[in-house]
Structures are given as structure tokens and as C-alpha cells.
Amino acid sequence: MQRAADVLRRSKTIVFFSGAGISAESGIPTFRDKLTGLWAKHDPQRLETADAFRDNPALVWGWYLWRRHQVSGAKPNAAHLCIPRFQDAGWEVSVITQNIDDLHERAGSLDVVHVHGSLMGAKCFACHRPGELTPDQLRVSEEGQWIEPPRCEHCNERLRPGVVWFKEKMPEDAWRSAVRLVRDCDVLISVGTSGVVMPAAGIPEMALAAGAAVIHVNLEEVGWVGADEIMLKGSAGVVLPELLLAVGGGDNVTA
Ligand code: BV8
Ligand code: ZN
């Protein structure tokens, strides 16, 4: 922790790069976690594809509505909440997330870069124009419900979730912003990601190659810990507030 604090004291710009693990303490299941992992239950690799939506739009749309319902019932946790506190304490802070929830935004982070899109948006599966959803269209009662997706008001084709599926390209503008932020930062703090899904998982390497220090925060050991990589093992909701305290960033953060 002291090494990480020293690195931060010598830095001006911090990029937080988050994965599903930062939302775990808000009750949002991760993809990797054996117990609650969606990976096991829903096999996201199958459901998170355009093919799955083409084959069974009501199943995929219902699943995303359910996930959106879960997120709206969740609260940002101490990890999300302390990120803007680094900004208050004087660092220039940016957030790049692989997550599709809006917990960083609800914790006060601004201009969050979503490299895998967002649950909060919908777009047309055919003409790709954004689609507005009414409260009625967002209603979902229980998990596993199949719900026919609404139609695009321009071409009447089905709307789809505004997320990046497997084998789909990330949004150009989001990826470009992410690369610029990573290239310019002094330190990248990678929080709660298993580093499996490419090309996003290449971000810590990109930071290292650009001369930034990299700090990993994860329940388990991730990545090789080279000269410039620091591994802070533990849950994000505990480690990030501790790091903030260690650099004198104010009192402890509670969710
Ligand atoms: C692309 C949005 C090409 C949707 C997501 C082989 C076969 C097929 C494909 C590939 C292949 N090899 C590479 C690929 C490409 C593929 C890929 O990487 N596959 C992997 C599985 C091998 N990538 C793609 O398809 C990408 N697109 O390549 O397009 C292309 C290029 C040009 C032109 C045309 C096409 C697009 C990938 C985006 C997929 N969409 N999400 C949705 O969410 O529904 S990815 C999805 O999985 C999540 O968003 C997330 O990013 C990812 C899971 O990763 P993590 O966030 O790291 O979460 P995970 O559960 O894995 O880990 C959690 C970590 O937290 C763990 O380490 C755990 O220990 C830790 N943790 C848990 N609790 C805590 C904690 N840490 C701290 N505190 C805690 N409390
Ligand atoms: Zn359309």
C-alpha cells in the first residue's frame, strides 16, 4: 500500500480502469465469480452476441431488461464513491470502464468512458439509430422473463441493448478516448477485472508501454507484477478507500 501511495504522490493524472469486480459489492454479479457469476448461470458468451439476439430476441432483451432492473436497484459502493474523492484531493482523474452499469456516474464520476457500451441505452438492430424507451417498456417483473423488444420508430425493426457484444467492435469514439487517456496518464489503477476480454484487457499493458505505473486492485493475484506493477489484493470497496487515506485524501468513504 505504501508503494502505491508513493507512486500516487509522484503523479498528477490517474486513470481508473474498472471491470465487473468493482460492482460486485453493489450486488451486481461478475462474469468470472463462480458463486454468483452470470458466466455460469447464463453463459454470457452465448447470450452476449448478435446471433443470440437474432435467434431469440425476446430472451436476450428480457435478460438485459432484468440486468438493468438489477442495476437500478443497486447502489454505488465505497469503491465507486471514492474515485471522485481522488479528484477532490487534487489529482486529475478519468474513468474507463468495461461495465455497462451506471454506478460510476451515480457515484459522481464524470465523462466515464464505456468501452463496452451501456445498459441505459438502446439502439435499432437494423439502422443503429438510438431508441428511446418509455417507463412501460422498461418494466420487468421477474428474472428469466422473455420480453419482445420494442420497435425502432424509423424503420420498425427491433431495438437492441446499447452494449458491445462479442465479435462486435467497440465504439470508435470511446476506444479513441480510452487510448488517449491511457497514453497520457501517470498511473493506471486497474480495479476488479480478470483481464480476459480483449481488446479492453490490453489497457494495463498499454499504460505500462506508455511509461505509466500500473496498480492492480483485485480479490486475487492478477497480471504479472513487473517493476512498475503493484498488486493490491483485497476487495475494491476496502482497498480504494484505504489508498485514498494513505495519500491523505480525507476521511474514510462509506457507501
Ligand atoms: C472484438 C458487454 C472483433 C456486454 C462485454 C476467441 C473466440 C471468440 C472471440 C475472441 C477470442 N479471442 C478473443 C476474442 C475476442 C473477444 C474476447 O476477448 N473473448 C474472450 C472471452 C476470449 N472480444 C470481443 O469479441 C470484443 N470484440 O474483438 O471484435 C472485431 C474487431 C474489429 C472489427 C470487428 C470485430 C468485444 C468484447 C466485448 C464483449 N462485451 N460486455 C454485456 O456486459 O452484456 S465483455 C463482458 O465480459 C463484460 O463487460 C466484461 O468486460 C467482461 C468480463 O470481464 P471483467 O469485467 O474482467 O469481469 P470478470 O467477471 O471477468 O472479472 C471480475 C474480476 O473482479 C475478477 O478478477 C475477480 O477476481 C474480481 N473481483 C470480484 N469481486 C471483487 C473483485 N475485485 C475487487 N473487489 C471485489 N469485490
Ligand atoms: Zn431502425
mmCIF file of all heavy atoms in Angstrom, residues 185-233:
data_model
loop_
_atom_site.group_PDB
_atom_site.id
_atom_site.type_symbol
_atom_site.label_atom_id
_atom_site.label_comp_id
_atom_site.label_asym_id
_atom_site.label_seq_id
_atom_site.Cartn_x
_atom_site.Cartn_y
_atom_site.Cartn_z
ATOM 1 N N CYS A 185 -1.610 9.179 -19.093
ATOM 2 C CA CYS A 185 -1.719 9.185 -17.619
ATOM 3 C C CYS A 185 -0.372 8.854 -16.962
ATOM 4 O O CYS A 185 0.517 8.269 -17.574
ATOM 5 C CB CYS A 185 -2.781 8.185 -17.165
ATOM 6 S SG CYS A 185 -2.279 6.467 -17.281
ATOM 7 N N ASP A 186 -0.272 9.260 -15.677
ATOM 8 C CA ASP A 186 0.936 8.922 -14.908
ATOM 9 C C ASP A 186 0.769 7.555 -14.236
ATOM 10 O O ASP A 186 1.723 6.821 -14.045
ATOM 11 C CB ASP A 186 1.153 9.971 -13.789
ATOM 12 C CG ASP A 186 1.394 11.360 -14.370
ATOM 13 O OD1 ASP A 186 2.074 11.422 -15.421
ATOM 14 O OD2 ASP A 186 0.869 12.349 -13.818
ATOM 15 N N VAL A 187 -0.497 7.266 -13.823
ATOM 16 C CA VAL A 187 -0.728 5.958 -13.173
ATOM 17 C C VAL A 187 -2.100 5.428 -13.586
ATOM 18 O O VAL A 187 -3.067 6.188 -13.691
ATOM 19 C CB VAL A 187 -0.594 6.070 -11.639
ATOM 20 C CG1 VAL A 187 -1.485 7.147 -11.065
ATOM 21 C CG2 VAL A 187 -0.897 4.755 -10.954
ATOM 22 N N LEU A 188 -2.136 4.130 -13.871
ATOM 23 C CA LEU A 188 -3.413 3.464 -14.198
ATOM 24 C C LEU A 188 -3.736 2.509 -13.043
ATOM 25 O O LEU A 188 -2.898 1.700 -12.644
ATOM 26 C CB LEU A 188 -3.288 2.653 -15.499
ATOM 27 C CG LEU A 188 -4.593 1.970 -15.921
ATOM 28 C CD1 LEU A 188 -5.140 2.571 -17.205
ATOM 29 C CD2 LEU A 188 -4.447 0.473 -16.080
ATOM 30 N N ILE A 189 -4.926 2.678 -12.470
ATOM 31 C CA ILE A 189 -5.368 1.777 -11.396
ATOM 32 C C ILE A 189 -6.438 0.866 -11.987
ATOM 33 O O ILE A 189 -7.535 1.318 -12.304
ATOM 34 C CB ILE A 189 -5.908 2.570 -10.189
ATOM 35 C CG1 ILE A 189 -4.848 3.579 -9.686
ATOM 36 C CG2 ILE A 189 -6.308 1.608 -9.061
ATOM 37 C CD1 ILE A 189 -5.260 4.391 -8.476
ATOM 38 N N SER A 190 -6.077 -0.417 -12.178
ATOM 39 C CA SER A 190 -6.992 -1.398 -12.778
ATOM 40 C C SER A 190 -7.750 -2.082 -11.645
ATOM 41 O O SER A 190 -7.152 -2.682 -10.768
ATOM 42 C CB SER A 190 -6.154 -2.424 -13.570
ATOM 43 O OG SER A 190 -6.985 -3.452 -14.034
ATOM 44 N N VAL A 191 -9.078 -1.939 -11.639
ATOM 45 C CA VAL A 191 -9.874 -2.398 -10.485
ATOM 46 C C VAL A 191 -10.883 -3.457 -10.910
ATOM 47 O O VAL A 191 -11.755 -3.200 -11.739
ATOM 48 C CB VAL A 191 -10.654 -1.221 -9.854
ATOM 49 C CG1 VAL A 191 -11.295 -1.643 -8.545
ATOM 50 C CG2 VAL A 191 -9.761 -0.005 -9.646
ATOM 51 N N GLY A 192 -10.766 -4.664 -10.335
ATOM 52 C CA GLY A 192 -11.817 -5.672 -10.490
ATOM 53 C C GLY A 192 -12.009 -6.164 -11.902
ATOM 54 O O GLY A 192 -13.135 -6.280 -12.383
ATOM 55 N N THR A 193 -10.891 -6.469 -12.568
ATOM 56 C CA THR A 193 -11.034 -7.074 -13.883
ATOM 57 C C THR A 193 -10.124 -8.289 -13.998
ATOM 58 O O THR A 193 -9.021 -8.307 -13.480
ATOM 59 C CB THR A 193 -10.740 -6.062 -15.020
ATOM 60 O OG1 THR A 193 -10.910 -6.728 -16.275
ATOM 61 C CG2 THR A 193 -9.344 -5.487 -14.936
ATOM 62 N N SER A 194 -10.652 -9.308 -14.689
ATOM 63 C CA SER A 194 -9.876 -10.559 -14.814
ATOM 64 C C SER A 194 -8.943 -10.474 -16.011
ATOM 65 O O SER A 194 -8.132 -11.361 -16.241
ATOM 66 C CB SER A 194 -10.832 -11.735 -15.037
ATOM 67 O OG SER A 194 -11.575 -11.505 -16.231
ATOM 68 N N GLY A 195 -9.055 -9.401 -16.779
ATOM 69 C CA GLY A 195 -8.120 -9.214 -17.891
ATOM 70 C C GLY A 195 -8.252 -10.264 -18.989
ATOM 71 O O GLY A 195 -7.274 -10.651 -19.630
ATOM 72 N N VAL A 196 -9.469 -10.730 -19.224
ATOM 73 C CA VAL A 196 -9.659 -11.793 -20.228
ATOM 74 C C VAL A 196 -10.168 -11.229 -21.551
ATOM 75 O O VAL A 196 -9.749 -11.624 -22.616
ATOM 76 C CB VAL A 196 -10.681 -12.830 -19.689
ATOM 77 C CG1 VAL A 196 -11.131 -13.775 -20.778
ATOM 78 C CG2 VAL A 196 -10.098 -13.587 -18.517
ATOM 79 N N VAL A 197 -11.104 -10.264 -21.433
ATOM 80 C CA VAL A 197 -11.806 -9.834 -22.646
ATOM 81 C C VAL A 197 -11.000 -8.779 -23.404
ATOM 82 O O VAL A 197 -10.753 -7.687 -22.902
ATOM 83 C CB VAL A 197 -13.197 -9.290 -22.258
ATOM 84 C CG1 VAL A 197 -13.918 -8.772 -23.480
ATOM 85 C CG2 VAL A 197 -14.013 -10.397 -21.600
ATOM 86 N N MET A 198 -10.606 -9.136 -24.592
ATOM 87 C CA MET A 198 -9.800 -8.236 -25.431
ATOM 88 C C MET A 198 -10.698 -7.443 -26.378
ATOM 89 O O MET A 198 -11.836 -7.879 -26.619
ATOM 90 C CB MET A 198 -8.806 -9.084 -26.251
ATOM 91 C CG MET A 198 -7.776 -9.797 -25.393
ATOM 92 S SD MET A 198 -6.865 -8.651 -24.358
ATOM 93 C CE MET A 198 -5.592 -8.160 -25.500
ATOM 94 N N PRO A 199 -10.323 -6.297 -26.909
ATOM 95 C CA PRO A 199 -9.014 -5.658 -26.693
ATOM 96 C C PRO A 199 -8.940 -4.826 -25.401
ATOM 97 O O PRO A 199 -7.870 -4.372 -25.027
ATOM 98 C CB PRO A 199 -8.857 -4.753 -27.904
ATOM 99 C CG PRO A 199 -10.175 -4.695 -28.586
ATOM 100 C CD PRO A 199 -11.101 -5.662 -27.951
ATOM 101 N N ALA A 200 -10.078 -4.665 -24.655
ATOM 102 C CA ALA A 200 -10.057 -3.808 -23.452
ATOM 103 C C ALA A 200 -8.995 -4.284 -22.458
ATOM 104 O O ALA A 200 -8.299 -3.486 -21.829
ATOM 105 C CB ALA A 200 -11.428 -3.810 -22.790
ATOM 106 N N ALA A 201 -8.849 -5.599 -22.345
ATOM 107 C CA ALA A 201 -7.935 -6.143 -21.330
ATOM 108 C C ALA A 201 -6.477 -5.774 -21.621
ATOM 109 O O ALA A 201 -5.616 -5.943 -20.767
ATOM 110 C CB ALA A 201 -8.076 -7.664 -21.252
ATOM 111 N N GLY A 202 -6.247 -5.228 -22.799
ATOM 112 C CA GLY A 202 -4.868 -4.820 -23.135
ATOM 113 C C GLY A 202 -4.514 -3.447 -22.586
ATOM 114 O O GLY A 202 -3.389 -2.967 -22.711
ATOM 115 N N ILE A 203 -5.469 -2.795 -21.925
ATOM 116 C CA ILE A 203 -5.252 -1.413 -21.463
ATOM 117 C C ILE A 203 -4.117 -1.285 -20.441
ATOM 118 O O ILE A 203 -3.255 -0.407 -20.592
ATOM 119 C CB ILE A 203 -6.595 -0.805 -20.977
ATOM 120 C CG1 ILE A 203 -7.406 -0.357 -22.220
ATOM 121 C CG2 ILE A 203 -6.381 0.326 -19.983
ATOM 122 C CD1 ILE A 203 -8.725 0.312 -21.941
ATOM 123 N N PRO A 204 -4.029 -2.171 -19.433
ATOM 124 C CA PRO A 204 -2.902 -2.024 -18.495
ATOM 125 C C PRO A 204 -1.540 -2.126 -19.192
ATOM 126 O O PRO A 204 -0.628 -1.351 -18.923
ATOM 127 C CB PRO A 204 -3.122 -3.160 -17.489
ATOM 128 C CG PRO A 204 -4.594 -3.412 -17.523
ATOM 129 C CD PRO A 204 -5.001 -3.169 -18.958
ATOM 130 N N GLU A 205 -1.437 -3.063 -20.140
ATOM 131 C CA GLU A 205 -0.170 -3.199 -20.902
ATOM 132 C C GLU A 205 0.133 -1.899 -21.637
ATOM 133 O O GLU A 205 1.267 -1.433 -21.690
ATOM 134 C CB GLU A 205 -0.312 -4.305 -21.971
ATOM 135 C CG GLU A 205 -0.268 -5.720 -21.443
ATOM 136 C CD GLU A 205 1.064 -6.051 -20.810
ATOM 137 O OE1 GLU A 205 2.088 -5.877 -21.462
ATOM 138 O OE2 GLU A 205 1.043 -6.426 -19.626
ATOM 139 N N MET A 206 -0.919 -1.294 -22.208
ATOM 140 C CA MET A 206 -0.765 -0.051 -22.981
ATOM 141 C C MET A 206 -0.229 1.059 -22.058
ATOM 142 O O MET A 206 0.649 1.828 -22.425
ATOM 143 C CB MET A 206 -2.147 0.362 -23.518
ATOM 144 C CG MET A 206 -2.163 0.969 -24.909
ATOM 145 S SD MET A 206 -3.814 1.619 -25.228
ATOM 146 C CE MET A 206 -4.639 0.130 -25.710
ATOM 147 N N ALA A 207 -0.748 1.073 -20.833
ATOM 148 C CA ALA A 207 -0.301 2.102 -19.877
ATOM 149 C C ALA A 207 1.176 1.890 -19.542
ATOM 150 O O ALA A 207 1.982 2.831 -19.565
ATOM 151 C CB ALA A 207 -1.148 2.033 -18.610
ATOM 152 N N LEU A 208 1.532 0.646 -19.289
ATOM 153 C CA LEU A 208 2.937 0.321 -18.974
ATOM 154 C C LEU A 208 3.840 0.749 -20.120
ATOM 155 O O LEU A 208 4.844 1.428 -19.925
ATOM 156 C CB LEU A 208 3.105 -1.192 -18.765
ATOM 157 C CG LEU A 208 2.838 -1.766 -17.390
ATOM 158 C CD1 LEU A 208 3.048 -3.281 -17.404
ATOM 159 C CD2 LEU A 208 3.743 -1.117 -16.342
ATOM 160 N N ALA A 209 3.414 0.412 -21.342
ATOM 161 C CA ALA A 209 4.252 0.724 -22.525
ATOM 162 C C ALA A 209 4.410 2.236 -22.695
ATOM 163 O O ALA A 209 5.407 2.720 -23.224
ATOM 164 C CB ALA A 209 3.601 0.124 -23.768
ATOM 165 N N ALA A 210 3.407 2.981 -22.181
ATOM 166 C CA ALA A 210 3.484 4.450 -22.311
ATOM 167 C C ALA A 210 4.233 5.052 -21.125
ATOM 168 O O ALA A 210 4.291 6.272 -20.959
ATOM 169 C CB ALA A 210 2.071 5.029 -22.387
ATOM 170 N N GLY A 211 4.789 4.182 -20.260
ATOM 171 C CA GLY A 211 5.608 4.686 -19.149
ATOM 172 C C GLY A 211 4.851 4.980 -17.884
ATOM 173 O O GLY A 211 5.388 5.536 -16.934
ATOM 174 N N ALA A 212 3.551 4.580 -17.843
ATOM 175 C CA ALA A 212 2.777 4.831 -16.613
ATOM 176 C C ALA A 212 3.029 3.696 -15.623
ATOM 177 O O ALA A 212 3.411 2.588 -16.002
ATOM 178 C CB ALA A 212 1.289 4.893 -16.953
ATOM 179 N N ALA A 213 2.793 3.988 -14.359
ATOM 180 C CA ALA A 213 2.815 2.924 -13.344
ATOM 181 C C ALA A 213 1.435 2.273 -13.365
ATOM 182 O O ALA A 213 0.448 2.925 -13.711
ATOM 183 C CB ALA A 213 3.089 3.528 -11.968
ATOM 184 N N VAL A 214 1.370 0.976 -13.052
ATOM 185 C CA VAL A 214 0.082 0.262 -13.045
ATOM 186 C C VAL A 214 -0.129 -0.372 -11.679
ATOM 187 O O VAL A 214 0.750 -1.056 -11.157
ATOM 188 C CB VAL A 214 0.045 -0.827 -14.151
ATOM 189 C CG1 VAL A 214 -1.199 -1.703 -13.998
ATOM 190 C CG2 VAL A 214 0.056 -0.170 -15.537
ATOM 191 N N ILE A 215 -1.292 -0.091 -11.114
ATOM 192 C CA ILE A 215 -1.676 -0.677 -9.829
ATOM 193 C C ILE A 215 -2.901 -1.544 -10.069
ATOM 194 O O ILE A 215 -3.878 -1.085 -10.684
ATOM 195 C CB ILE A 215 -2.017 0.441 -8.804
ATOM 196 C CG1 ILE A 215 -0.789 1.337 -8.549
ATOM 197 C CG2 ILE A 215 -2.545 -0.145 -7.493
ATOM 198 C CD1 ILE A 215 -1.096 2.607 -7.754
ATOM 199 N N HIS A 216 -2.826 -2.832 -9.675
ATOM 200 C CA HIS A 216 -3.979 -3.744 -9.819
ATOM 201 C C HIS A 216 -4.673 -3.856 -8.472
ATOM 202 O O HIS A 216 -4.006 -4.084 -7.455
ATOM 203 C CB HIS A 216 -3.509 -5.154 -10.217
ATOM 204 C CG HIS A 216 -2.912 -5.223 -11.591
ATOM 205 N ND1 HIS A 216 -3.662 -5.320 -12.728
ATOM 206 C CD2 HIS A 216 -1.606 -5.192 -12.008
ATOM 207 C CE1 HIS A 216 -2.864 -5.381 -13.792
ATOM 208 N NE2 HIS A 216 -1.612 -5.301 -13.387
ATOM 209 N N VAL A 217 -5.993 -3.685 -8.469
ATOM 210 C CA VAL A 217 -6.780 -3.950 -7.247
ATOM 211 C C VAL A 217 -7.708 -5.104 -7.578
ATOM 212 O O VAL A 217 -8.543 -5.002 -8.489
ATOM 213 C CB VAL A 217 -7.609 -2.706 -6.844
ATOM 214 C CG1 VAL A 217 -8.493 -3.014 -5.631
ATOM 215 C CG2 VAL A 217 -6.687 -1.510 -6.580
ATOM 216 N N ASN A 218 -7.528 -6.236 -6.856
ATOM 217 C CA ASN A 218 -8.337 -7.414 -7.180
ATOM 218 C C ASN A 218 -8.332 -8.355 -5.987
ATOM 219 O O ASN A 218 -7.389 -8.382 -5.216
ATOM 220 C CB ASN A 218 -7.734 -8.130 -8.407
ATOM 221 C CG ASN A 218 -8.739 -9.038 -9.078
ATOM 222 O OD1 ASN A 218 -9.269 -9.939 -8.424
ATOM 223 N ND2 ASN A 218 -9.021 -8.798 -10.346
ATOM 224 N N LEU A 219 -9.452 -9.120 -5.902
ATOM 225 C CA LEU A 219 -9.539 -10.117 -4.822
ATOM 226 C C LEU A 219 -8.433 -11.153 -4.965
ATOM 227 O O LEU A 219 -7.964 -11.712 -4.000
ATOM 228 C CB LEU A 219 -10.890 -10.849 -4.896
ATOM 229 C CG LEU A 219 -12.103 -10.184 -4.261
ATOM 230 C CD1 LEU A 219 -13.303 -11.101 -4.395
ATOM 231 C CD2 LEU A 219 -11.849 -9.849 -2.799
ATOM 232 N N GLU A 220 -8.043 -11.430 -6.235
ATOM 233 C CA GLU A 220 -6.996 -12.456 -6.441
ATOM 234 C C GLU A 220 -5.822 -11.832 -7.189
ATOM 235 O O GLU A 220 -5.956 -10.757 -7.766
ATOM 236 C CB GLU A 220 -7.581 -13.644 -7.228
ATOM 237 C CG GLU A 220 -8.341 -13.189 -8.447
ATOM 238 C CD GLU A 220 -9.285 -14.259 -9.045
ATOM 239 O OE1 GLU A 220 -9.984 -14.971 -8.293
ATOM 240 O OE2 GLU A 220 -9.303 -14.343 -10.277
ATOM 241 N N GLU A 221 -4.687 -12.531 -7.180
ATOM 242 C CA GLU A 221 -3.486 -12.031 -7.887
ATOM 243 C C GLU A 221 -3.793 -11.953 -9.378
ATOM 244 O O GLU A 221 -4.262 -12.931 -9.952
ATOM 245 C CB GLU A 221 -2.331 -13.034 -7.693
ATOM 246 C CG GLU A 221 -1.842 -13.186 -6.260
ATOM 247 C CD GLU A 221 -0.986 -11.997 -5.832
ATOM 248 O OE1 GLU A 221 -0.316 -11.425 -6.700
ATOM 249 O OE2 GLU A 221 -1.055 -11.636 -4.646
ATOM 250 N N VAL A 222 -3.610 -10.822 -10.015
ATOM 251 C CA VAL A 222 -3.808 -10.775 -11.473
ATOM 252 C C VAL A 222 -2.560 -10.206 -12.136
ATOM 253 O O VAL A 222 -1.814 -9.470 -11.514
ATOM 254 C CB VAL A 222 -4.989 -9.875 -11.884
ATOM 255 C CG1 VAL A 222 -6.306 -10.554 -11.659
ATOM 256 C CG2 VAL A 222 -4.936 -8.547 -11.164
ATOM 257 N N GLY A 223 -2.361 -10.541 -13.344
ATOM 258 C CA GLY A 223 -1.258 -9.974 -14.133
ATOM 259 C C GLY A 223 0.075 -10.262 -13.467
ATOM 260 O O GLY A 223 0.158 -10.503 -12.286
ATOM 261 N N TRP A 224 1.137 -10.212 -14.263
ATOM 262 C CA TRP A 224 2.460 -10.390 -13.648
ATOM 263 C C TRP A 224 2.805 -9.052 -12.994
ATOM 264 O O TRP A 224 2.424 -7.986 -13.476
ATOM 265 C CB TRP A 224 3.484 -10.800 -14.683
ATOM 266 C CG TRP A 224 3.481 -9.931 -15.885
ATOM 267 C CD1 TRP A 224 2.678 -10.034 -16.969
ATOM 268 C CD2 TRP A 224 4.261 -8.743 -16.073
ATOM 269 N NE1 TRP A 224 2.913 -9.007 -17.840
ATOM 270 C CE2 TRP A 224 3.900 -8.202 -17.330
ATOM 271 C CE3 TRP A 224 5.252 -8.092 -15.322
ATOM 272 C CZ2 TRP A 224 4.478 -7.047 -17.855
ATOM 273 C CZ3 TRP A 224 5.813 -6.931 -15.819
ATOM 274 C CH2 TRP A 224 5.429 -6.436 -17.086
ATOM 275 N N VAL A 225 3.464 -9.130 -11.846
ATOM 276 C CA VAL A 225 3.732 -7.862 -11.173
ATOM 277 C C VAL A 225 5.163 -7.452 -11.495
ATOM 278 O O VAL A 225 6.093 -7.815 -10.804
ATOM 279 C CB VAL A 225 3.530 -8.015 -9.635
ATOM 280 C CG1 VAL A 225 3.569 -6.637 -8.974
ATOM 281 C CG2 VAL A 225 2.181 -8.668 -9.372
ATOM 282 N N GLY A 226 5.321 -6.763 -12.584
ATOM 283 C CA GLY A 226 6.665 -6.336 -13.001
ATOM 284 C C GLY A 226 7.114 -5.133 -12.178
ATOM 285 O O GLY A 226 6.425 -4.706 -11.253
ATOM 286 N N ALA A 227 8.274 -4.569 -12.564
ATOM 287 C CA ALA A 227 8.874 -3.466 -11.781
ATOM 288 C C ALA A 227 7.868 -2.348 -11.554
ATOM 289 O O ALA A 227 7.712 -1.841 -10.450
ATOM 290 C CB ALA A 227 10.081 -2.925 -12.537
ATOM 291 N N ASP A 228 7.097 -2.013 -12.595
ATOM 292 C CA ASP A 228 6.170 -0.878 -12.441
ATOM 293 C C ASP A 228 4.770 -1.318 -12.044
ATOM 294 O O ASP A 228 3.872 -0.501 -11.986
ATOM 295 C CB ASP A 228 6.055 -0.122 -13.775
ATOM 296 C CG ASP A 228 7.262 0.794 -13.951
ATOM 297 O OD1 ASP A 228 7.980 0.936 -12.941
ATOM 298 O OD2 ASP A 228 7.451 1.318 -15.049
ATOM 299 N N GLU A 229 4.547 -2.633 -11.836
ATOM 300 C CA GLU A 229 3.173 -3.042 -11.495
ATOM 301 C C GLU A 229 3.063 -3.350 -10.011
ATOM 302 O O GLU A 229 3.946 -3.998 -9.452
ATOM 303 C CB GLU A 229 2.782 -4.291 -12.299
ATOM 304 C CG GLU A 229 2.510 -3.964 -13.755
ATOM 305 C CD GLU A 229 1.793 -5.102 -14.449
ATOM 306 O OE1 GLU A 229 0.566 -5.121 -14.424
ATOM 307 O OE2 GLU A 229 2.483 -5.969 -14.992
ATOM 308 N N ILE A 230 2.040 -2.819 -9.408
ATOM 309 C CA ILE A 230 1.812 -3.048 -7.969
ATOM 310 C C ILE A 230 0.504 -3.819 -7.828
ATOM 311 O O ILE A 230 -0.488 -3.511 -8.494
ATOM 312 C CB ILE A 230 1.723 -1.695 -7.230
ATOM 313 C CG1 ILE A 230 3.044 -0.913 -7.374
ATOM 314 C CG2 ILE A 230 1.363 -1.902 -5.756
ATOM 315 C CD1 ILE A 230 2.985 0.512 -6.865
ATOM 316 N N MET A 231 0.504 -4.832 -6.980
ATOM 317 C CA MET A 231 -0.699 -5.661 -6.776
ATOM 318 C C MET A 231 -1.244 -5.365 -5.381
ATOM 319 O O MET A 231 -0.550 -5.539 -4.387
ATOM 320 C CB MET A 231 -0.316 -7.148 -6.897
ATOM 321 C CG MET A 231 -1.476 -8.096 -6.686
ATOM 322 S SD MET A 231 -2.610 -8.049 -8.069
ATOM 323 C CE MET A 231 -4.174 -7.898 -7.191
ATOM 324 N N LEU A 232 -2.466 -4.806 -5.338
ATOM 325 C CA LEU A 232 -3.124 -4.590 -4.033
ATOM 326 C C LEU A 232 -4.262 -5.603 -3.953
ATOM 327 O O LEU A 232 -5.278 -5.469 -4.635
ATOM 328 C CB LEU A 232 -3.671 -3.157 -3.937
ATOM 329 C CG LEU A 232 -2.643 -2.015 -4.028
ATOM 330 C CD1 LEU A 232 -3.369 -0.669 -3.940
ATOM 331 C CD2 LEU A 232 -1.586 -2.144 -2.937
ATOM 332 N N LYS A 233 -4.040 -6.653 -3.159
ATOM 333 C CA LYS A 233 -5.017 -7.749 -3.078
ATOM 334 C C LYS A 233 -6.090 -7.381 -2.052
ATOM 335 O O LYS A 233 -5.773 -6.916 -0.956
ATOM 336 C CB LYS A 233 -4.262 -9.026 -2.643
ATOM 337 C CG LYS A 233 -4.913 -10.311 -3.054
ATOM 338 C CD LYS A 233 -3.848 -11.440 -3.088
ATOM 339 C CE LYS A 233 -4.515 -12.778 -3.299
ATOM 340 N NZ LYS A 233 -5.166 -13.335 -2.112
#
